[in-house]
Every structure is written in C-alpha cells, then in structure tokens.
Amino acid sequence: MPVFLFNIMTGNPATRADNPENAEKPEDFRFLLEQFADLKIMRYQVPGFSSLPNRQKIFIYYLSQAALSGRDIIYDQNYRYNLAIRRTLEHIVLNYKGDRNNPDFDAFMVYVKRVWFSNGIHHHHSKDKFFPEIKRETFLEFLNDSGREGLPLKQGQSAEAFCSEIAEIIFSPDIAPKGVCQENGKDLLTHSAVNFYEGITETEALDYYKKLNEQAAAEDSPSRVSFGLNSKLVKSDGRISEIPCRIGGLYSEALERIVYWLGLAADYTENSVQQETIETLISYYKTGDLKTWDKYNVMWVNNTETHVDFISGFIENYSDPLGLKATWESLVSFKDMEASKRAGIISANAQWFEDHSPVDPRFRKKEVRGVSARAIVAAQLGGDCYPASPIGINLPNADWIRKEHGSKSVTIENITLAHEKAALGNGMLEEFAFDEKEVQLAKEFGSLAGSLHTDLHECLGHGSGQLLPDTQGDALKNYGSPLEEARADLFALYFIADPKMMELQLFEQEDVYKAAYNAYIRNGLITQLTRIRIGNNIEQAHMRSRQLIASWCYHKGKQKNVIEFLKNGSRTFVKINDYNGLRILFGELLALIQRIKSTGDYEAGRDLIENYGVKVNPELHREVIDRFSALNIAPYGGFINPVYVPVMHDSEIADVVVEYPENFTAQMLHYSANYSFLPDYN
Ligand code: ZN
C-alpha cells in the first residue's frame, strides 16, 4: 500500500539538515518548477547518489531504465484510448505549424500537461474526466495544421475518421466520464473507464473470481494467489477469459524491454538473494504466473540487507473498482542511513506495540513477524508512481505473505522533503490553522510528526492485527482500501501519543504529537476539501479514511467538546480541546475497524465509510475552496525524475552521474520518444 502526503504544509525547513549526505545544499535547489490547473511540478534531489560505489550506481542506472520502460502500460490500463490520445496530443506539440503564442495554444498545452500528469484523460486523484479549455473546432484546427503523418490510426481507418473520433472521445462529457466509479448502487465496472475488464459486468467478474477462490480454498493451501492481479478479463462470444500481462501476452512489448534491463541489472546485484529475486521477477514477467509473483515477493520481503532496492510489477489495486487488478509501477531506491535509525527503533519494538494495541486481543498478532522498516532515497519513479509519487510504501499486499513472512515498509525521505521545501511559505498553514500557537507547533514539529506518523502507519499499522481463520481477505470489497488505510492511520495516531514514544527517545516533548493531531484533524475536517470539486463527494481511499477518522471522532466526542468547530468572521476553524480524549477516541475507532476487518463485516464497514467518509458539507466546502483559491496553491503535486548519465570507458559503463533537468514538457517528450513500446491500442 502506498501512503500519500496529507499535509500540504508541514513546515520545518531544517529537516535532516544534519544529515551529511545532504551536502548538495537544498537551499540552492529549485524544488518547485511550474504550476498549472490544480497541479504543481516539482523536482527531488537524490542526496548520497554520487558517493555510492560505482557498482551500485550502475545497478541503479539499469533499474531506472527498466522503470521507465513500463510507462505506456499505466496509460493503457487507465483507459484504452489513452495511448492514442497521448500520441495525438504529442503529434500536435511536435508538429503544429501555426502560431503558438496565443491563449488557445496555451490552454491546449495545459491539457496536454494534465494528460501527462495523470497518465491519461482522467484526473489522477478524483478519477473524473477533464477537458481541454478550448473549442473542439480549435483542437481540430491544431490537428489539421500538424500534418497527418504518424497519427495513431486504427487499422483501415482514414485520417478524417480518426480525427473526428479522437476529438469526440476527448471532448464528449458522455464518453468515459469516470476513470474509477465507486458510487454505491451502480455497476462499478460498466461505469468505470479503466481498462481491466472488457464487456464484463460487476456480477460476472465477482462470480468469476469467487469460483477461482473457492477452488483454491478447496485445495486448502494457505498460500492463495491474488487471482486477477495481472490480467484483463474479457468476454467474447459469451465466454469469459483472462488475458495475462506477460511476454507474449498483454503488454508484451513493454515487458520485453523491462526484462532486458532487469537482465543487465542482475549482474550488479549486491548479494545472491537479490540476484535470485531479480531472476524470479524476470521469470514472472515471462510467464505471468501468479505463484512466481508470490515467490518473488517472499524473496523480496526477505531481502532486507541490500543498500539498493526496487519494486517493479503489477502491485496496487486502487484503480480497479473491485480492488482485484493492479496497475504497473516501479520505484528504484537506496537506503537513507540516518533516517532509517528512527524507523528501525519503531520496528524493533513492533511486538510491544502489537501487544498494547487497543483492539480485541483475539485480533492481535501473537507474533509480529519481519516488520522491516527503513527510510529510503528515491532514485527513479516509474509507472503509477510517476509523476505523482507516494511518500511511503508497505509491501507486499498479499495477506498470506504478510502474515507468514511480514512486510517491508519504507518512507521516502527525499520525496517528503521536496514536498515540504516546495510548500514553504505558501500561506496554507497560516490560513487554516486555528491560532498562532498551532502555526508555531506545525513549523517546529510538523516535519518530525509527519515522519513519525508515516513510520508508524507503514512499519506497524498495516502489518498489525489478524483476520479470524474463516475471514476472506477481500470480504470488505470496495470498502477494503479506505478501511485498511484508516486502520493504519489510527494505529499511528493512537501510538504517536503514547509515553512509549518518549521512552524510546523518538521525541522529547508532547508538542510533537499535538502537532500531529492538529494537522490530522485540520486536514480531515477542513483542508483536504480543497482537493474535491464543488458538488462532488469523496472517492479516493486515503481521503475517505481521513475524513472518516476526523469526522467520527468529532461526532463521538461532541458531548465532551473534544474537537470544536469555531468561526472567526466568515472563516471556519477546528480546534482540539482535549488531546487525551481524542487519543481515546482514536483507540475506540481502531478497535471497531479492526473488528470489521478481522471478521469481514462488510455491512458495518460500508456504513462507517458511507456515514462518515464520503459526504461533504457543501457550505463548508464552498468556503474552504474560496479561501484556498485566494492562496493560489495547486493542491496536487508530482515530480520529474532525475536523469542518470552513464560515463563510458571503452565500451563499458565506468560510472554514472546524476543530472536534474528542469522542464516537465521536455522530460515527457523525451520519455515518449525513447520509452514508448506499446501499440496504440492493446
Ligand atoms: Zn497505507
């Protein structure tokens, strides 16, 4: 599971300035590159890269090439026309012969950049389709004045027919309005644009995988694979079948390139475990076999020794409304030694936290295994991790592997730092914090509080607790993701205020957890509304979980005035009156959600999410959007990647140097020219 930044402005510019590896002086580095629509483009540094041994630098270089080679996959997974659309837009960007210095062309470029950012025509976060702010005729003129050579025509299609079809797909509000539909009561598959199912209804898909799961259950093996994870389910002539993603199957052309680079990387691994891990991954990409995928994950989770690490595969299932199919992603990283100490202390005490968790003892793990945590420096983002990147990751996702082999948790230090640097002084905190004291707490302790929250969420939260033996891992269906995020957040919120934290010397004063509580409640009740369009409800799993927690605690603590809404003129604020009371509520909700997960109580889970996590108060929403617009801040951010340049000696790579480009458009065009391997339609 990925963790995304929830607190736009946390504050402390001195984060890990004491880390000698940060010698590249963040003060002089331009983190924020540009802003358009509701997006900002940032850069991240890769501190410590140049002092790695050459062998590791070359390893990272090959892995980063593999990470880039899968870029087309996520476009096609998000929507089957995305590659054709992206190529049409890039065709105009590269070939348009008319005047580019006018508002229409500027607006067109904003649309192109939004498509690049979201890996398709649906907003990366809200999953709503977005549109160019120019007339359809203007778009067709641009297309006309760009020549016809190289357009992504379908077989036998005329250029004329293609242009009007692609314009219709881009401009019509009736075609594919939702990337991922989560609306209660609708057929989630036929109302979603994502390309995991073709001609299949929700009931058909659920039946299909239910049967597979029942067959597997009959075999009575605890190591049950995640059916459907890396395939497309299609119906033709009334028959339902799966097309696996593998070499020779779906996305073959991209997977061949990924395997090519992984093969080169395999010569530079740090030990035999890592070498075998890569070879198993290659074998998985060749066969698409889910047992091999599980085998790879077990090896990967057991490899905690190497300095360089990476993920690559069909991993996260947030884009499938049924939570079965995964998007392709990759992240290449190496260990951040200094920051890993903090996460290490938390992991080393995992059993203590589990034993003291405020949930029913039946749902606690008797033995918390292999909770390995570390802080990493991201070196390359790819697929679904790019350009919008998580700030923490906990993998693998398969419940049986987590139970038997544990999981690996990372917080991505340089990405978190880049977010903080880019947000400094944007006025968000001053506008939404209740008073000056809250601002000061956030500035002084926000950064540490945020890092600790992420550590607790990733290292302990997701790995804690257990299902009752008869409970299916997917019993909570589409409510599984937000409830799982809520569970991990609550674990973090409950324990960050525990005296144990100070005993472990993770911080020295209560102000740190107060800063964490302030930020969480302020975000869950107020500031995350800035990410929702007027008239919409909350759909994204992490956001649902955050509102659920904040809103549930507000309502349950109302009588004792634990959290209070206050007005200053027309502006609304939240204030925590009773930190200890709030901590008790966090514990109660954790116990409730753990019970729901452990027993697979779908109805109770659905009620919690629908009652507290989905609906927004329209008046407050409007007010928050108005205040936020006045600040002129983009609510979402993503990153461009650094570039690794091999230094050749004879025909061998002798060294690799890192460069930090500054132009988003240039990087996207470069990727499309050099790392685009899939056909227009798959
Ligand atoms: Zn999580």
Side-chain angles (χ1 to χ4, degrees):
M1 291 120 199
V3 172
F4 293 96
L5 194 78
F6 71 82
N7 190 0
I8 293 176
M9 168 66 211
T10 45
N12 190 353
T15 326
R16 275 176 279 297
D18 52 346
N19 182 348
E21 293 211 322
N22 279 358
E24 280 134 328
K25 282 210 282 184
E27 309 84 70
D28 305 335
F29 188 84
R30 199 155 73 95
F31 285 93
L32 183 59
L33 298 176
E34 63 173 311
Q35 245 182 254
F36 49 86
D38 57 353
L39 307 171
K40 62 180 172 221
I41 304 294
M42 297 170 279
R43 291 193 297 176
Y44 59 95
Q45 288 179 300
V46 190
F49 179 81
S50 30
S51 43
L52 292 176
N54 281 8
R55 207 183 142 80
Q56 290 179 11
K57 286 192 256 185
I58 298 169
F59 188 41
I60 288 174
Y61 168 72
Y62 285 136
L63 293 173
S64 74
Q65 295 299 308
L68 294 177
S69 299
R71 174 171 177 255
D72 281 354
I73 297 175
I74 182 68
Y75 278 84
D76 191 72
Q77 288 187 308
N78 282 340
Y79 181 43
R80 63 202 168 103
Y81 284 100
N82 274 339
L83 282 172
I85 291 170
R86 191 191 81 202
R87 285 167 181 160
T88 306
L89 300 175
E90 288 169 353
H91 176 79
I92 297 174
V93 175
L94 292 169
N95 300 302
Y96 179 60
K97 296 190 182 58
D99 175 23
R100 295 183 181 223
N101 291 314
N102 61 66
D104 275 347
F105 200 81
D106 290 344
F108 167 74
M109 280 309 299
V110 167
Y111 179 70
V112 179
K113 289 194 268 189
R114 293 185 73 185
V115 171
W116 282 329
F117 189 97
S118 290
N119 297 308
I121 61 168
H122 299 92
H123 192 277
H124 75 291
H125 196 82
S126 73
K127 306 295 181 188
D128 290 328
K129 183 176 180 178
F130 55 85
F131 302 90
E133 292 187 354
I134 51 172
K135 290 206 180 79
R136 187 189 298 216
E137 300 78 65
T138 311
F139 171 76
L140 285 167
E141 277 167 33
F142 288 162
L143 195 48
N144 252 328
D145 293 345
S146 304
R148 294 287 156 93
E149 199 71 27
L151 285 176
L153 310 181
K154 287 182 192 161
Q155 222 178 6
Q157 195 178 30
S158 72
E160 280 313 309
F162 169 78
C163 291
S164 66
E165 186 192 8
I166 209 83
E168 178 69 7
I169 294 171
I170 291 173
F171 283 88
S172 166
D174 301 325
I175 297 178
K178 256 324 215 182
V180 182
C181 172
Q182 295 283 15
E183 233 174 285
N184 203 5
K186 277 193 177 169
D187 184 307
L188 300 183
L189 297 193
T190 51
H191 288 88
S192 296
V194 282
N195 194 14
F196 298 119
Y197 306 89
E198 211 171 288
I200 303 269
T201 65
E202 185 181 340
T203 320
E204 285 170 334
L206 290 172
D207 282 352
Y208 182 90
Y209 288 110
K210 194 172 156 223
K211 268 189 206 124
L212 289 183
N213 275 307
E214 280 168 0
Q215 279 165 19
E219 287 167 21
D220 202 28
S221 158
S223 56
R224 224 172 285 166
V225 301
S226 309
F227 289 111
L229 190 71
N230 63 339
S231 70
K232 186 166 163 178
L233 197 64
V234 297
K235 185 151 103 179
S236 60
D237 302 331
R239 279 184 54 122
I240 297 179
S241 62
E242 270 191 306
I243 309 174
C245 304
R246 61 174 165 84
I247 290 182
L250 190 58
Y251 305 137
S252 185
E253 300 86 349
L255 297 173
E256 285 162 34
R257 299 304 297 171
I258 293 168
V259 162
Y260 167 78
W261 290 111
L262 290 178
L264 293 176
D267 289 340
Y268 290 86
T269 49
E270 290 171 53
N271 60 31
S272 58
V273 180
Q274 193 173 40
Q275 167 132 17
E276 221 186 313
T277 310
I278 291 195
E279 280 161 7
T280 309
L281 179 62
I282 289 173
S283 156
Y284 160 69
Y285 278 138
K286 285 181 175 168
T287 60
D289 177 44
L290 286 169
K291 283 218 158 89
T292 311
W293 172 243
D294 279 355
K295 191 175 150 201
Y296 155 77
N297 275 296
V298 170
M299 287 175 168
W300 178 83
V301 86
N302 284 325
N303 171 27
T304 52
E305 299 301 314
T306 58
H307 199 62
V308 178
D309 199 2
F310 75 103
I311 60 171
S312 169
F314 299 88
I315 297 174
E316 301 291 356
N317 57 15
Y318 292 90
S319 292
D320 176 3
L322 300 184
L324 296 169
K325 304 194 172 290
T327 47
W328 188 87
E329 68 179 33
S330 184
L331 167 73
V332 184
S333 63
F334 56 92
K335 193 167 182 174
D336 183 327
M337 306 302 277
E338 196 58 38
S340 291
K341 273 187 208 155
R342 182 192 67 224
I345 293 173
I346 289 173
S347 299
N349 290 278
Q351 193 66 53
W352 184 93
F353 287 101
E354 185 73 8
D355 295 344
H356 291 79
S357 164
V359 306
D360 186 327
R362 284 187 302 151
F363 308 143
R364 288 183 198 142
K365 273 203 183 88
K366 302 283 162 296
E367 218 180 304
V368 187
R369 270 204 236 179
V371 183
S372 111
R374 59 184 191 174
I376 58 167
V377 177
Q380 193 82 17
L381 311 168
D384 210 4
C385 291
Y386 170 89
S389 162
I391 56 165
I393 288 179
N394 178 314
L395 290 173
N397 284 331
D399 270 326
W400 79 267
I401 301 180
R402 302 170 73 83
K403 197 169 169 198
E404 288 182 21
H405 301 274
S407 61
K408 214 146 73 172
S409 269
V410 296
T411 56
I412 311 174
E413 295 294 317
N414 58 334
I415 296 289
T416 310
L417 182 76
H419 271 291
E420 288 172 8
K421 292 290 183 190
L424 268 189
N426 67 11
M428 183 80 185
L429 182 60
E430 289 77 2
E431 173 62 37
F432 289 100
F434 167 69
D435 59 11
E436 186 53 30
K437 188 169 169 241
E438 192 177 323
V439 172
Q440 283 315 317
L441 275 190
K443 286 194 166 163
E444 202 167 339
F445 303 112
S447 188
L448 176 60
S451 295
L452 284 168
H453 177 92
T454 309
D455 287 340
L456 288 164
H457 174 115
E458 291 290 347
C459 308
L460 304 180
H462 281 305
S464 75
Q466 64 178 2
L467 304 184
L468 290 184
D470 293 337
T471 303
Q472 296 276 339
D474 57 359
L476 302 175
K477 291 191 256 186
N478 50 322
Y479 298 105
S481 292
L483 288 168
E484 176 57 21
E485 290 313 318
R487 199 176 69 87
D489 263 358
L490 286 162
F491 200 94
L493 290 163
Y494 180 79
F495 280 115
I496 201 171
D498 199 289
K500 185 77 176 175
M501 299 300 281
M502 285 202 252
E503 197 184 295
L504 294 172
Q505 298 181 326
L506 290 161
F507 55 79
E508 284 159 6
Q509 46 213 334
E510 295 187 337
D511 284 347
V512 175
Y513 83 72
K514 288 185 177 166
Y517 280 19
N518 291 342
Y520 199 91
I521 295 300
R522 192 171 65 238
N523 179 68
L525 291 177
I526 295 195
T527 50
Q528 78 166 358
L529 293 174
T530 58
R531 298 169 161 225
I532 305 289
R533 274 227 314 257
I534 294 288
N536 286 12
N537 283 326
I538 300 178
E539 308 224 8
Q540 205 270 346
H542 292 82
M543 291 180 70
R544 283 186 165 187
S545 86
R546 287 164 194 154
Q547 176 168 302
L548 157 66
I549 292 172
S551 172
W552 189 92
C553 291
Y554 166 70
H555 286 283
K556 297 291 166 183
K558 212 168 180 176
Q559 249 184 349
K560 293 187 180 159
N561 207 18
V562 174
I563 302 169
E564 191 177 2
F565 274 96
L566 293 153
K567 280 272 189 187
N568 182 351
S570 63
R571 302 188 305 161
T572 309
F573 297 90
V574 278
K575 179 171 179 275
I576 300 171
N577 291 318
D578 178 359
Y579 287 91
N580 194 43
L582 181 54
R583 181 176 185 234
I584 293 168
L585 290 169
F586 286 147
E588 286 172 11
L589 185 56
L590 174 58
L592 173 59
I593 292 180
Q594 184 62 55
R595 182 193 66 70
I596 289 171
K597 173 161 173 144
S598 293
T599 59
D601 188 345
Y602 172 81
E603 283 75 22
R606 178 197 60 205
D607 290 351
L608 263 190
I609 297 288
E610 293 291 343
N611 290 339
Y612 296 98
V614 176
K615 291 183 205 83
V616 300
N617 169 345
E619 270 165 54
L620 178 63
H621 190 191
R622 165 73 65 187
E623 176 205 317
V624 168
I625 295 279
D626 287 347
R627 287 161 67 188
F628 182 69
S629 333
L631 297 172
N632 198 22
I633 303 166
Y636 304 102
F639 295 89
I640 67 171
N641 275 314
V643 174
Y644 298 92
V645 185
V647 180
M648 304 304 287
H649 187 262
D650 298 330
S651 55
E652 300 270 297
I653 301 180
D655 193 4
V656 179
V657 293
V658 59
E659 290 177 358
Y660 298 104
E662 296 200 331
N663 190 311
F664 179 59
T665 299
Q667 177 152 90
M668 288 299 182
L669 291 172
H670 175 75
Y671 285 176
S672 292
N674 295 285
Y675 301 96
S676 186
F677 306 110
L678 292 185
D680 302 321
Y681 308 94
N682 292 276

